Structure formats: structure tokens, C-alpha cells
């Protein structure tokens, strides 16, 4: 009887301690290496989610020019090549793949009050005027994250 009780006790200790140690290891890894984790899920688009994580830090300070739009903005506008005399020295490109014009408007309404740009540039193409791909963006969650109200 005593031997059975000892085996049961050892089993229960192992059953509780292994998951606890794994959870502590996971929390430690998340704390030490946050950049290695995937971005929070704001939408069905991994590219948009990663862009949102980048934007959280990029729009913290005042920007002179804010570039919004779809892949037309993301792929075709290089802030380093824009003339400083016209666009200033702090240009932030928040363009993301698959953004419709409506998505760009929503993003501008969230981001512009934070970085207070002097100029907003909408880079678009005719295909951006229809919703060809619904990314199901949670704009409230995105706004709270960008404003620093949520760490996710």
C-alpha cells in the first residue's frame, strides 16, 4: 500500500510539474524574443499583420509624409528616393498588399492622428476601387494596438 501511494504521488508531481515548466519556458521565450513571434492576428493577411506590428513603432513620432495604399504604395514608393524639399525627411509608407481604397481610408483615419503628417499620399490603381479580397480586418483591434492601448 505504501509503495502504491509513493508511485501515485510521484506521478501526480510529474503530471503537474512538467506542464508548469513548459509554460514557464514559453513565457520566458515570449518575453526574451518577442520579435520572433508572429504578429497579432488583425486580419486574414499575414502581410497586413506584420505591417501593423512594424507600424506600431514607425508612427509613434511625427511624420512629414504618410503614404497609404495597396501594393502600389508598398512596392513602388521608396521614401529614400523622394525629394526632401517636397516630402520632408520623415516619410512613413503604410501601404500593404491587397488594401482597397476603403481600407486605405480607414487606415489613414487611425494612423494620421498619431503621426500628424503634413502630406498624405494615396497610391492606388483602378483595381483598388473594388473589394477583390476581403481580409476581414478587425479595425478596432488594429486601432487599439497602433495607439498602444493593447499589447496583445
Amino acid at each position: 500500500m505504501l509503495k502504491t501511494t509513493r508511485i501515485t504521488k510521484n506521478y501526480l508531481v510529474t503530471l503537474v510539474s512538467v506542464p508548469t515548466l513548459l509554460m514557464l519556458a514559453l513565457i520566458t521565450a515570449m518575453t526574451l524574443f518577442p520579435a520572433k513571434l508572429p504578429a497579432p492576428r488583425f486580419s486574414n493577411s499575414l502581410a497586413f499583420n506584420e505591417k501593423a506590428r512594424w507600424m506600431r513603432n514607425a508612427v509613434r513620432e511625427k511624420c512629414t509624409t504618410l503614404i497609404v495604399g495597396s501594393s502600389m504604395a508598398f512596392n513602388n514608393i521608396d521614401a529614400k528616393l523622394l525629394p526632401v524639399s517636397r516630402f520632408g525627411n520623415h516619410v512613413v509608407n503604410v501601404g500593404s498588399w491587397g488594401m482597397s481604397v476603403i481600407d486605405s481610408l480607414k487606415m489613414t483615419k487611425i494612423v494620421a492622428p498619431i503621426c500628424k503628417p503634413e502630406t498624405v499620399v494615396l497610391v492606388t490603381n483602378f483595381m483598388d476601387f473594388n473589394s477583390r479580397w476581403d481580409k476581414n480586418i478587425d479595425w478596432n483591434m488594429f486601432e487599439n494596438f497602433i495607439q498602444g492601448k493593447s499589447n496583445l
Side-chain angles (χ1 to χ4, degrees), residues 17-91:
S17 63
V18 169
T20 303
L21 289 173
L22 289 173
M23 185 61 72
L24 286 172
L26 178 64
I27 291 170
T28 302
M30 290 171 60
T31 304
L32 294 176
F33 309 107
K36 302 286 185 189
L37 297 172
R41 187 177 170 95
F42 303 105
S43 72
N44 296 336
S45 169
L46 295 175
F48 179 84
N49 297 341
E50 289 296 336
K51 186 71 169 203
R53 178 177 23 194
W54 172 84
M55 284 172 41
R56 184 174 184 168
N57 295 324
V59 299
R60 283 279 168 241
E61 55 194 49
K62 182 169 175 33
C63 63
T64 52
T65 301
L66 180 66
I67 299 171
V68 295
S70 65
S71 58
M72 296 298 293
F74 181 70
N75 294 331
N76 298 317
I77 303 295
D78 185 355
K80 295 176 184 133
L81 299 177
L82 296 176
V84 174
S85 61
R86 171 62 183 103
F87 295 98
N89 58 0
H90 189 211
V91 178

Side-chain angles (χ1 to χ4, degrees), residues 71-127:
S71 58
M72 296 298 293
F74 181 70
N75 294 331
N76 298 317
I77 303 295
D78 185 355
K80 295 176 184 133
L81 299 177
L82 296 176
V84 174
S85 61
R86 171 62 183 103
F87 295 98
N89 58 0
H90 189 211
V91 178
V92 177
N93 186 340
V94 296
S96 179
W97 294 327
M99 296 282 286
S100 68
V101 173
I102 297 297
D103 291 336
S104 296
L105 174 64
K106 289 176 183 177
M107 183 181 288
T108 303
K109 286 182 176 182
I110 293 169
V111 174
I114 299 169
C115 73
K116 298 173 181 55
E118 298 166 12
T119 305
V120 176
V121 177
L122 172 64
V123 183
T124 188
N125 196 342
F126 67 91
M127 62 190 162

Side-chain angles (χ1 to χ4, degrees), residues 117-148:
E118 298 166 12
T119 305
V120 176
V121 177
L122 172 64
V123 183
T124 188
N125 196 342
F126 67 91
M127 62 190 162
D128 296 332
F129 284 91
N130 59 28
S131 291
R132 64 195 180 285
W133 182 45
D134 191 10
K135 293 192 283 196
N136 296 321
I137 299 171
D138 185 338
W139 289 106
N140 290 328
M141 185 172 143
F142 172 78
E143 182 175 16
N144 287 334
F145 182 74
I146 294 297
Q147 292 175 348

